[in-house]
Amino acid sequence: MSLDPVSAASPSFPPRLLSRRLGVAVVSELVELIVTGQLHEGQLLPPEGPLSEHFGVSRTVLRESIKRLEEKGLVIVAQGRGTQVARSGSWNILDPVVLSALIDNDQSLGILDELTVVRSSLESLMAGVVAARRTDDELLRIEHALTAMRETEHDSDAFRHADFLFHITLMELSQNRLAENIAKSLYRRALDSARYQGMGHEGAFRLTLEEHSRVVEAITAKDVPSAEKAMRDHIEVAWQRRRFPTRRESRRA
C-alpha cells in the first residue's frame, strides 16, 4: 500500500515545530527569571499543572523545557520534592541561552567584566603558545590578518570583522581545542551584546591596531612573555575604553 507523502507527513510535522517553538519560549523565560533572581536559589517551581497553564503549553512541552533547564544546571529535579532552583555555581554559564540572559540583564556589567578577565587569560596564554612554536607560514597568516585590519580601518563593520578574524586565527593556531572553544564561545556571545560593543571612543581603531601590532611583533620575535602581556593588555584595556559607566559608578563620579 502506498502513502501520499504530503498527506502522510502533514499531520505530525507542524505540531512538532510548534512544540519546539513553545519549548524555546518557555526555557528562555524561565532562564531569565532564574538569572535575574526572580526565581531564587533553593526556590521550588510551581507544580506542573499551574506552571503549564501559566505558559499556555501542554505538560509534555513543560517537562521537556524543565529537562532543558536541568541540562543547563539551573534547576534540580528531585522525585517527590519537585523542581528546585540550583545555586549559581552549578549553572552552565557557557551555555548560549544562560550567558546571553546574564549579559542582557546585568546592570552592573559584572558578567562582562568577568568575561573579559577569563577571555584575556585564555587568549594571552594562546598567544604565548603561538609565539613559542609558530612557523613562518603561520606567522604569514597572522600578518595577513593584521593587514586586513589596517585596510579596513575606516570601515567600522569591516574592521570589527577583521578584528574578530585576527583573534580567531590566533586561537586556531594555538592548537588548544579546549581553550579555543571556550574563548570563541565567550567572544561570540559577547559580540552579540550592544553592552559589550560599548561606547565609541575617538581613535579607538587606531589604538586597537597599535595593540594588535604589539602582539604580532612579540610573536614574530618568538617572545612568549611579551606576546602574553600584549594580548592580555589589549583585551582588558580595549574593554575599559568601550565600557559604559554604570549608574552607581556615575553617581560616585
Side-chain angles (χ1 to χ4, degrees):
M1 181 177 66
S2 63
L3 290 174
D4 179 350
V6 175
S7 62
S10 298
S12 59
F13 195 57
R16 286 176 63 191
L17 287 178
L18 179 60
S19 173
R20 190 175 298 118
R21 286 197 296 268
L22 289 172
V24 168
V26 172
V27 170
S28 295
E29 184 171 340
L30 285 171
V31 167
E32 184 165 340
L33 289 171
I34 291 171
V35 303
T36 57
Q38 296 176 68
L39 290 172
H40 55 79
E41 177 182 332
Q43 183 174 352
L44 288 173
L45 269 59
E48 192 176 88
L51 201 56
S52 60
E53 289 179 12
H54 169 78
F55 288 110
V57 299
S58 69
R59 294 193 179 205
T60 299
V61 171
L62 182 67
R63 290 187 198 113
E64 291 173 351
S65 301
I66 296 299
K67 185 178 180 181
R68 299 288 87 78
L69 291 180
E70 189 177 22
E71 290 169 352
K72 298 175 191 298
L74 296 176
V75 299
I76 300 168
V77 180
Q79 192 68 30
R81 292 180 53 197
T83 301
Q84 188 177 42
V85 177
R87 62 183 186 85
S88 59
S90 299
W91 301 351
N92 178 9
I93 294 181
L94 290 179
D95 179 273
V97 178
V98 177
L99 184 56
S100 292
L102 284 167
I103 291 172
D104 293 342
N105 292 281
D106 181 20
Q107 299 301 320
S108 72
L109 297 181
I111 190 65
L112 284 174
D113 289 337
E114 293 174 13
L115 183 152
T116 300
V117 170
V118 174
R119 185 187 153 215
S120 68
S121 298
L122 287 173
E123 288 199 46
S124 67
L125 288 172
M126 287 189 280
V129 168
V130 174
R133 64 187 189 201
R134 58 86 181 161
T135 65
D136 290 343
D137 286 343
E138 289 171 341
L139 179 60
L140 194 60
R141 281 186 60 188
I142 298 166
E143 290 172 340
H144 283 168
L146 182 62
T147 298
M149 291 180 64
R150 290 197 180 103
E151 291 174 347
T152 57
E153 184 179 356
H154 301 293
D155 182 339
S156 59
D157 289 340
F159 182 86
R160 289 190 179 98
H161 182 64
D163 186 357
F164 172 77
L165 290 180
F166 178 93
H167 286 273
I168 296 299
T169 297
L170 281 182
M171 291 180 200
E172 292 174 351
L173 291 177
S174 76
Q175 297 180 27
N176 185 325
R177 290 177 298 174
L178 182 59
E180 177 187 345
N181 186 275
I182 295 171
K184 277 183 179 178
S185 296
L186 293 173
Y187 193 18
R188 285 179 171 140
R189 194 55 47 183
L191 289 175
D192 288 339
S193 168
R195 293 183 178 198
Y196 190 75
Q197 300 292 353
M199 56 186 175
H201 182 280
E202 187 175 353
F205 286 179
R206 176 182 54 79
L207 291 170
T208 297
L209 269 173
E210 291 174 0
E211 291 159 6
H212 281 72
S213 296
R214 285 194 282 273
V215 174
V216 176
E217 288 168 5
I219 291 174
T220 301
K222 295 191 174 182
D223 184 340
V224 174
S226 294
E228 291 178 349
K229 184 178 187 304
M231 181 61 82
R232 181 181 292 106
D233 289 350
H234 158 61
I235 292 173
E236 294 180 357
V237 169
W239 166 236
Q240 291 304 317
R241 278 199 299 268
R242 299 190 309 274
R243 190 183 189 277
F244 287 109
T246 63
R247 292 179 182 176
R248 181 178 298 178
E249 290 166 346
S250 298
R251 286 198 295 268
R252 284 203 302 264

